[in-house]
Amino acid sequence: MLQHIQHVLTADELRQAREILARAPWGDGRATAGVQSALAKNNEQLPQDGPDTRALQEIVLRGLNRHAIFFSAALPKRVFPPLFNRYGGAANAFGDHVDNAVRFIPGTQGERVRTDVSCTLFLAEPDEYHGGELVIADTYGTQRVKLPAGDMVLYPGTSVHRVEPVTRGYRVASFFWIESMVRSDEQRRLLFDMDQHLMSLRTRFGEADPAVIGLTGTYHNLLRGWVDT
Ligand code: NI
């Protein structure tokens, strides 16, 4: 499933992030690519460590941690420390590829993240650059994604995807992966839909409505059956 998550960052956090990004040391994006994707990848990236990257990671993780819809959609078990990339000028595109299935977290003793969910958090406004759509081959057809700054898209790590050439301006984004407590994309989708409907029922009938209590129980019982902690 493809899920658009709105307002991950506040206007203030976005401004802070963009200030850091404007003076950050960009390098070749191929540093973190796999063998196949290195051939397709032509963009710039921040180093995986360093004070700027750490400050930016903190901003993104804070946004994720308070976002109930993100939590419900991703059911995160582990989040790969967010990375930051830029497309524009001569380094402006990333052809079709699939992300590596497993990523090693830098600076740990071989800690790994299975990439169940891929995430792109947009940090430039759509009218600041031409092109740069994230094109994802989904089960329901090809999706072209270009979101407001501060918004994020989640999509299955199994999808073939690319970033179209940026022909004007710069597309700046954060990208990372999530190992979910629920590995199956289909089960995650069912849980997310159920949770969204439950929220709307709670608003209409209140927390104490017996059907709301019962269905909340069903949600948690399904989750308990499918979760892998
Ligand atoms: Ni990718």
Short mmCIF file of all heavy atoms in Angstrom, two decimals, residues 45-92:
data_model
loop_
_atom_site.label_atom_id
_atom_site.label_comp_id
_atom_site.label_asym_id
_atom_site.label_seq_id
_atom_site.Cartn_x
_atom_site.Cartn_y
_atom_site.Cartn_z
N GLN A 45 24.01 13.27 -1.36
CA GLN A 45 23.53 12.80 -0.08
C GLN A 45 24.38 13.39 1.04
O GLN A 45 25.57 13.69 0.82
CB GLN A 45 23.72 11.28 -0.09
CG GLN A 45 22.69 10.52 0.68
CD GLN A 45 22.77 9.05 0.34
OE1 GLN A 45 22.29 8.63 -0.72
NE2 GLN A 45 23.38 8.27 1.19
N LEU A 46 23.81 13.52 2.22
CA LEU A 46 24.62 13.94 3.37
C LEU A 46 25.36 12.73 3.90
O LEU A 46 24.86 11.61 3.81
CB LEU A 46 23.73 14.50 4.48
CG LEU A 46 23.08 15.85 4.25
CD1 LEU A 46 22.50 16.36 5.58
CD2 LEU A 46 24.08 16.86 3.71
N PRO A 47 26.53 12.93 4.52
CA PRO A 47 27.21 11.80 5.16
C PRO A 47 26.28 11.17 6.19
O PRO A 47 25.41 11.85 6.76
CB PRO A 47 28.40 12.45 5.87
CG PRO A 47 28.45 13.87 5.44
CD PRO A 47 27.21 14.20 4.68
N GLN A 48 26.46 9.85 6.45
CA GLN A 48 25.54 9.15 7.36
C GLN A 48 25.74 9.57 8.80
O GLN A 48 24.92 9.25 9.66
CB GLN A 48 25.74 7.65 7.24
CG GLN A 48 25.25 7.12 5.91
CD GLN A 48 25.09 5.61 5.96
OE1 GLN A 48 24.14 5.08 6.50
NE2 GLN A 48 26.04 4.92 5.37
N ASP A 49 26.85 10.25 9.08
CA ASP A 49 27.10 10.70 10.43
C ASP A 49 27.61 12.14 10.38
O ASP A 49 27.95 12.62 9.30
CB ASP A 49 28.11 9.78 11.12
CG ASP A 49 28.03 9.93 12.62
OD1 ASP A 49 27.06 10.53 13.12
OD2 ASP A 49 28.96 9.47 13.30
N GLY A 50 27.68 12.79 11.50
CA GLY A 50 28.14 14.17 11.55
C GLY A 50 27.08 15.03 12.21
O GLY A 50 25.92 14.63 12.28
N PRO A 51 27.47 16.19 12.72
CA PRO A 51 26.55 17.02 13.52
C PRO A 51 25.31 17.46 12.75
O PRO A 51 24.21 17.47 13.31
CB PRO A 51 27.40 18.22 13.94
CG PRO A 51 28.65 18.16 13.12
CD PRO A 51 28.82 16.76 12.64
N ASP A 52 25.46 17.81 11.46
CA ASP A 52 24.30 18.26 10.69
C ASP A 52 23.31 17.11 10.53
O ASP A 52 22.10 17.26 10.74
CB ASP A 52 24.72 18.75 9.30
CG ASP A 52 25.50 20.05 9.38
OD1 ASP A 52 25.13 20.90 10.22
OD2 ASP A 52 26.47 20.21 8.63
N THR A 53 23.82 15.94 10.13
CA THR A 53 22.95 14.78 9.94
C THR A 53 22.24 14.43 11.24
O THR A 53 21.03 14.18 11.24
CB THR A 53 23.77 13.58 9.41
OG1 THR A 53 24.45 13.99 8.23
CG2 THR A 53 22.90 12.39 9.11
N ARG A 54 22.98 14.44 12.34
CA ARG A 54 22.36 14.09 13.63
C ARG A 54 21.26 15.07 14.02
O ARG A 54 20.19 14.67 14.48
CB ARG A 54 23.42 13.99 14.74
CG ARG A 54 24.14 12.64 14.73
CD ARG A 54 24.86 12.40 16.04
NE ARG A 54 25.91 13.40 16.27
CZ ARG A 54 27.13 13.33 15.75
NH1 ARG A 54 27.48 12.30 15.00
NH2 ARG A 54 28.02 14.27 16.00
N ALA A 55 21.50 16.36 13.80
CA ALA A 55 20.48 17.37 14.13
C ALA A 55 19.23 17.16 13.28
O ALA A 55 18.10 17.24 13.77
CB ALA A 55 21.05 18.77 13.93
N LEU A 56 19.45 16.84 12.00
CA LEU A 56 18.31 16.61 11.10
C LEU A 56 17.55 15.34 11.48
O LEU A 56 16.32 15.30 11.46
CB LEU A 56 18.81 16.51 9.66
CG LEU A 56 19.27 17.83 9.03
CD1 LEU A 56 20.14 17.56 7.81
CD2 LEU A 56 18.07 18.68 8.65
N GLN A 57 18.31 14.30 11.82
CA GLN A 57 17.67 13.03 12.21
C GLN A 57 16.77 13.23 13.42
O GLN A 57 15.67 12.68 13.49
CB GLN A 57 18.73 11.97 12.51
CG GLN A 57 19.39 11.44 11.25
CD GLN A 57 20.58 10.55 11.53
OE1 GLN A 57 21.21 10.64 12.59
NE2 GLN A 57 20.91 9.69 10.57
N GLU A 58 17.25 14.03 14.36
CA GLU A 58 16.47 14.29 15.56
C GLU A 58 15.14 14.96 15.21
O GLU A 58 14.10 14.60 15.76
CB GLU A 58 17.28 15.20 16.47
CG GLU A 58 17.18 14.83 17.92
CD GLU A 58 18.21 15.62 18.72
OE1 GLU A 58 19.38 15.17 18.81
OE2 GLU A 58 17.84 16.70 19.20
N ILE A 59 15.18 15.91 14.30
CA ILE A 59 13.96 16.62 13.89
C ILE A 59 12.98 15.63 13.25
O ILE A 59 11.79 15.60 13.58
CB ILE A 59 14.30 17.77 12.90
CG1 ILE A 59 15.12 18.85 13.61
CG2 ILE A 59 13.03 18.36 12.28
CD1 ILE A 59 15.66 19.94 12.69
N VAL A 60 13.49 14.79 12.35
CA VAL A 60 12.59 13.84 11.65
C VAL A 60 12.02 12.82 12.64
O VAL A 60 10.81 12.56 12.64
CB VAL A 60 13.34 13.14 10.50
CG1 VAL A 60 12.48 12.05 9.88
CG2 VAL A 60 13.77 14.15 9.44
N LEU A 61 12.87 12.28 13.50
CA LEU A 61 12.40 11.24 14.42
C LEU A 61 11.38 11.80 15.42
O LEU A 61 10.41 11.12 15.77
CB LEU A 61 13.59 10.60 15.16
CG LEU A 61 14.51 9.76 14.24
CD1 LEU A 61 15.75 9.30 14.99
CD2 LEU A 61 13.78 8.56 13.66
N ARG A 62 11.57 13.04 15.82
CA ARG A 62 10.61 13.68 16.72
C ARG A 62 9.25 13.78 16.02
O ARG A 62 8.21 13.49 16.59
CB ARG A 62 11.12 15.07 17.10
CG ARG A 62 10.48 15.62 18.36
CD ARG A 62 10.84 17.09 18.59
NE ARG A 62 12.24 17.39 18.36
CZ ARG A 62 12.68 18.50 17.73
NH1 ARG A 62 11.83 19.38 17.25
NH2 ARG A 62 13.97 18.72 17.57
N GLY A 63 9.27 14.17 14.75
CA GLY A 63 8.03 14.25 13.97
C GLY A 63 7.34 12.91 13.87
O GLY A 63 6.11 12.80 14.03
N LEU A 64 8.11 11.85 13.63
CA LEU A 64 7.53 10.51 13.50
C LEU A 64 6.94 10.05 14.83
O LEU A 64 5.85 9.47 14.86
CB LEU A 64 8.60 9.51 13.07
CG LEU A 64 9.23 9.68 11.68
CD1 LEU A 64 10.27 8.59 11.46
CD2 LEU A 64 8.17 9.63 10.59
N ASN A 65 7.68 10.29 15.90
CA ASN A 65 7.28 9.75 17.20
C ASN A 65 5.96 10.28 17.71
O ASN A 65 5.28 9.64 18.50
CB ASN A 65 8.37 9.99 18.25
CG ASN A 65 9.52 9.02 18.08
OD1 ASN A 65 9.34 7.93 17.53
ND2 ASN A 65 10.71 9.41 18.49
N ARG A 66 5.56 11.47 17.28
CA ARG A 66 4.31 12.01 17.80
C ARG A 66 3.15 11.81 16.82
O ARG A 66 2.03 12.22 17.09
CB ARG A 66 4.47 13.50 18.13
CG ARG A 66 4.79 14.32 16.93
CD ARG A 66 4.63 15.81 17.14
NE ARG A 66 4.95 16.41 15.88
CZ ARG A 66 6.04 17.14 15.64
NH1 ARG A 66 6.89 17.41 16.60
NH2 ARG A 66 6.27 17.62 14.44
N HIS A 67 3.41 11.15 15.68
CA HIS A 67 2.42 11.10 14.62
C HIS A 67 1.62 9.80 14.67
O HIS A 67 2.10 8.74 14.29
CB HIS A 67 3.12 11.23 13.27
CG HIS A 67 2.24 11.79 12.20
ND1 HIS A 67 1.11 11.14 11.77
CD2 HIS A 67 2.31 12.93 11.48
CE1 HIS A 67 0.54 11.87 10.82
NE2 HIS A 67 1.25 12.97 10.63
N ALA A 68 0.36 9.88 15.14
CA ALA A 68 -0.45 8.68 15.35
C ALA A 68 -0.74 7.94 14.04
O ALA A 68 -0.78 6.71 14.01
CB ALA A 68 -1.75 9.05 16.05
N ILE A 69 -0.96 8.70 12.96
CA ILE A 69 -1.30 8.03 11.69
C ILE A 69 -0.08 7.30 11.14
O ILE A 69 -0.19 6.19 10.62
CB ILE A 69 -1.86 9.05 10.68
CG1 ILE A 69 -3.19 9.59 11.23
CG2 ILE A 69 -2.09 8.41 9.30
CD1 ILE A 69 -3.81 10.68 10.41
N PHE A 70 1.10 7.91 11.29
CA PHE A 70 2.33 7.22 10.89
C PHE A 70 2.45 5.90 11.67
O PHE A 70 2.72 4.85 11.09
CB PHE A 70 3.56 8.10 11.14
CG PHE A 70 4.83 7.31 11.17
CD1 PHE A 70 5.38 6.82 9.99
CD2 PHE A 70 5.45 7.00 12.37
CE1 PHE A 70 6.53 6.04 10.02
CE2 PHE A 70 6.59 6.23 12.41
CZ PHE A 70 7.14 5.75 11.23
N PHE A 71 2.24 5.97 12.98
CA PHE A 71 2.40 4.77 13.80
C PHE A 71 1.42 3.68 13.35
O PHE A 71 1.79 2.52 13.17
CB PHE A 71 2.19 5.09 15.29
CG PHE A 71 2.51 3.91 16.17
CD1 PHE A 71 3.80 3.67 16.59
CD2 PHE A 71 1.51 3.00 16.52
CE1 PHE A 71 4.11 2.55 17.36
CE2 PHE A 71 1.81 1.87 17.28
CZ PHE A 71 3.10 1.66 17.71
N SER A 72 0.18 4.08 13.13
CA SER A 72 -0.86 3.13 12.74
C SER A 72 -0.56 2.50 11.37
O SER A 72 -0.81 1.32 11.14
CB SER A 72 -2.20 3.86 12.71
OG SER A 72 -3.20 3.05 12.20
N ALA A 73 0.00 3.28 10.45
CA ALA A 73 0.26 2.78 9.10
C ALA A 73 1.52 1.91 9.05
O ALA A 73 1.56 0.91 8.35
CB ALA A 73 0.41 3.95 8.12
N ALA A 74 2.56 2.30 9.81
CA ALA A 74 3.85 1.59 9.69
C ALA A 74 4.04 0.53 10.78
O ALA A 74 4.78 -0.42 10.59
CB ALA A 74 5.00 2.60 9.77
N LEU A 75 3.39 0.69 11.92
CA LEU A 75 3.60 -0.18 13.08
C LEU A 75 5.10 -0.47 13.25
O LEU A 75 5.55 -1.62 13.18
CB LEU A 75 2.79 -1.48 12.93
CG LEU A 75 1.28 -1.26 12.90
CD1 LEU A 75 0.54 -2.53 12.48
CD2 LEU A 75 0.76 -0.81 14.28
N PRO A 76 5.88 0.60 13.48
CA PRO A 76 7.33 0.46 13.43
C PRO A 76 7.92 -0.36 14.58
O PRO A 76 7.48 -0.25 15.71
CB PRO A 76 7.82 1.92 13.52
CG PRO A 76 6.71 2.65 14.20
CD PRO A 76 5.44 1.97 13.79
N LYS A 77 8.87 -1.19 14.21
CA LYS A 77 9.63 -1.92 15.22
C LYS A 77 11.02 -1.29 15.30
O LYS A 77 11.54 -1.04 16.37
CB LYS A 77 9.73 -3.38 14.77
CG LYS A 77 10.58 -4.27 15.62
CD LYS A 77 10.27 -5.69 15.22
CE LYS A 77 11.41 -6.63 15.39
NZ LYS A 77 11.05 -7.96 14.86
N ARG A 78 11.60 -1.03 14.14
CA ARG A 78 12.90 -0.35 14.07
C ARG A 78 12.86 0.64 12.93
O ARG A 78 12.34 0.33 11.85
CB ARG A 78 14.01 -1.35 13.74
CG ARG A 78 14.54 -2.00 14.95
CD ARG A 78 15.82 -2.78 14.64
NE ARG A 78 15.83 -3.91 15.54
CZ ARG A 78 15.67 -5.17 15.18
NH1 ARG A 78 15.58 -5.49 13.92
NH2 ARG A 78 15.63 -6.12 16.08
N VAL A 79 13.43 1.81 13.16
CA VAL A 79 13.51 2.84 12.12
C VAL A 79 14.98 3.04 11.78
O VAL A 79 15.80 3.27 12.68
CB VAL A 79 12.89 4.17 12.61
CG1 VAL A 79 12.99 5.24 11.54
CG2 VAL A 79 11.43 3.97 13.01
N PHE A 80 15.32 2.92 10.52
CA PHE A 80 16.69 3.20 10.09
C PHE A 80 16.96 4.70 10.28
O PHE A 80 16.10 5.51 9.95
CB PHE A 80 16.85 2.82 8.61
CG PHE A 80 18.28 2.85 8.14
CD1 PHE A 80 19.10 1.75 8.26
CD2 PHE A 80 18.80 4.02 7.57
CE1 PHE A 80 20.41 1.79 7.83
CE2 PHE A 80 20.12 4.06 7.14
CZ PHE A 80 20.93 2.94 7.27
N PRO A 81 18.12 5.09 10.82
CA PRO A 81 18.38 6.52 11.00
C PRO A 81 18.22 7.27 9.67
O PRO A 81 18.88 6.93 8.69
CB PRO A 81 19.84 6.57 11.48
CG PRO A 81 20.09 5.20 12.04
CD PRO A 81 19.23 4.24 11.26
N PRO A 82 17.32 8.26 9.62
CA PRO A 82 17.01 8.93 8.36
C PRO A 82 18.24 9.48 7.64
O PRO A 82 19.17 9.99 8.27
CB PRO A 82 16.09 10.09 8.81
CG PRO A 82 15.44 9.58 10.04
CD PRO A 82 16.47 8.73 10.73
N LEU A 83 18.22 9.34 6.33
CA LEU A 83 19.26 9.88 5.44
C LEU A 83 18.65 11.05 4.68
O LEU A 83 17.43 11.22 4.65
CB LEU A 83 19.74 8.80 4.47
CG LEU A 83 20.43 7.59 5.11
CD1 LEU A 83 20.62 6.48 4.09
CD2 LEU A 83 21.77 8.01 5.69
N PHE A 84 19.51 11.84 4.04
CA PHE A 84 19.05 13.06 3.37
C PHE A 84 19.66 13.15 1.99
O PHE A 84 20.87 12.93 1.84
CB PHE A 84 19.42 14.28 4.23
CG PHE A 84 18.75 14.22 5.56
CD1 PHE A 84 19.33 13.50 6.61
CD2 PHE A 84 17.51 14.79 5.76
CE1 PHE A 84 18.68 13.38 7.84
CE2 PHE A 84 16.85 14.67 6.98
CZ PHE A 84 17.44 13.96 8.01
N ASN A 85 18.84 13.42 0.99
CA ASN A 85 19.38 13.51 -0.36
C ASN A 85 18.86 14.74 -1.10
O ASN A 85 17.90 15.38 -0.68
CB ASN A 85 19.15 12.22 -1.15
CG ASN A 85 17.69 11.90 -1.36
OD1 ASN A 85 16.83 12.74 -1.16
ND2 ASN A 85 17.40 10.69 -1.78
N ARG A 86 19.58 15.02 -2.20
CA ARG A 86 19.25 16.20 -3.00
C ARG A 86 19.43 15.83 -4.46
O ARG A 86 20.42 15.19 -4.84
CB ARG A 86 20.22 17.32 -2.61
CG ARG A 86 20.01 18.59 -3.38
CD ARG A 86 20.77 19.72 -2.75
NE ARG A 86 22.17 19.72 -3.17
CZ ARG A 86 23.00 20.75 -3.01
NH1 ARG A 86 22.58 21.85 -2.43
NH2 ARG A 86 24.25 20.68 -3.42
N TYR A 87 18.46 16.24 -5.28
CA TYR A 87 18.51 16.02 -6.72
C TYR A 87 18.45 17.37 -7.40
O TYR A 87 17.58 18.20 -7.09
CB TYR A 87 17.30 15.22 -7.21
CG TYR A 87 17.23 13.79 -6.71
CD1 TYR A 87 16.74 13.49 -5.45
CD2 TYR A 87 17.64 12.74 -7.53
CE1 TYR A 87 16.66 12.18 -5.02
CE2 TYR A 87 17.55 11.42 -7.10
CZ TYR A 87 17.06 11.15 -5.84
OH TYR A 87 16.98 9.85 -5.41
N GLY A 88 19.39 17.60 -8.35
CA GLY A 88 19.39 18.85 -9.10
C GLY A 88 20.72 19.00 -9.81
O GLY A 88 21.66 18.25 -9.52
N GLY A 89 20.82 19.94 -10.72
CA GLY A 89 22.05 20.13 -11.48
C GLY A 89 22.41 18.87 -12.24
O GLY A 89 21.55 18.24 -12.87
N ALA A 90 23.70 18.46 -12.15
CA ALA A 90 24.15 17.29 -12.90
C ALA A 90 23.79 15.98 -12.18
O ALA A 90 23.74 14.91 -12.79
CB ALA A 90 25.66 17.36 -13.11
N ALA A 91 23.52 16.05 -10.88
CA ALA A 91 23.18 14.85 -10.09
C ALA A 91 21.69 14.90 -9.81
O ALA A 91 21.25 15.41 -8.78
CB ALA A 91 23.99 14.83 -8.80
N ASN A 92 20.88 14.40 -10.76
CA ASN A 92 19.47 14.79 -10.71
C ASN A 92 18.46 13.67 -10.84
O ASN A 92 17.26 13.94 -10.98
CB ASN A 92 19.20 15.83 -11.79
CG ASN A 92 19.44 15.28 -13.19
OD1 ASN A 92 19.60 14.07 -13.34
ND2 ASN A 92 19.46 16.13 -14.17
#
